[in-house]
Amino acid sequence: MTVTTESDARTPTRNRSLRGASTGPGRPRTGPPGRRDSRRPAGPRAAPASAVRFRASPPAPHEWFAEQLLLTLSGQRPVHALLGHALPAAYDRLVELAPQAPLRPTASGAGRRAPAPAVRHCGLCRPRPDVIEAFARIASGERLRALAFRLERGGDARWRCAALDIGPSSPVW
């Protein structure tokens, strides 16, 4: 003969939350219907491929400097933004060139806005392990300009611009 108590009569099925309907086995819903909380795990489903983000590697020092010099010499960034990234001789050259904004885009046609200058290509030569001599081709509208600079790595392992030169300002052809 078996004796049944009240606690045995209740079979443990699925626990339901008092806040809302269950969204899966053992998962009570805690928010309004149709709302997703990005801080909570999505459960057994995998995240879509578009949501996966890859961390891009940082640019090479000569590419980063080419972009920074372009921004400074086109008037988009003040000279003092490169104060800690240039040695005194190169900084003096930047101070001399920046007011002229030699890489500023020139207006082309009646009221048309010229495209912003961009680095088309950046190359380098390494005469020594702690020295990079680099060049960059800068496109501004239909014009193509040259930018040459030298980077030296200091004792603190930071790259600094040591010299800077820009191609002729008048068209060659």
Side-chain angles (χ1 to χ4, degrees):
M1 172 174 180
T2 54
V3 179
T4 322
T5 62
E6 269 185 51
S7 61
D8 292 339
R10 285 184 280 152
T11 57
T13 57
R14 190 185 309 176
N15 292 337
R16 291 185 182 248
S17 171
L18 297 176
R19 290 185 180 172
S22 176
T23 58
R27 286 217 171 124
R29 182 174 195 93
T30 58
R35 184 170 176 180
R36 302 277 181 229
D37 190 353
S38 63
R39 296 169 295 176
R40 293 185 181 207
R45 295 181 302 185
S50 63
V52 177
R53 295 182 185 220
F54 294 99
R55 177 171 238 158
S57 62
H62 66 286
E63 294 171 348
W64 185 84
F65 270 96
E67 287 290 335
Q68 300 307 310
L69 291 170
L70 168 66
L71 292 172
T72 301
L73 295 174
S74 64
Q76 299 177 44
R77 181 165 291 168
V79 179
H80 67 267
L82 290 174
L83 185 59
H85 300 286
L87 296 176
Y91 187 76
D92 291 343
R93 180 75 172 139
L94 274 172
V95 168
E96 177 186 321
L97 288 172
Q100 301 166 14
L103 298 178
R104 177 173 287 151
T106 56
S108 57
R112 287 188 6 196
R113 189 174 182 174
V119 176
R120 287 289 170 101
H121 179 73
C122 194
L124 73 121
C125 173
R126 289 186 177 256
R128 292 192 315 243
D130 289 338
V131 174
I132 295 176
E133 291 182 351
F135 70 90
R137 289 187 210 129
I138 310 293
S140 179
E142 296 177 4
R143 297 186 63 187
L144 194 62
R145 301 287 302 272
L147 177 65
F149 53 98
R150 179 182 174 101
L151 302 176
E152 295 179 359
R153 188 172 10 204
D156 59 354
R158 291 180 52 199
W159 290 98
R160 289 184 178 82
C161 185
L164 165 72
D165 194 21
I166 191 162
S169 60
S170 60
V172 176
W173 56 92

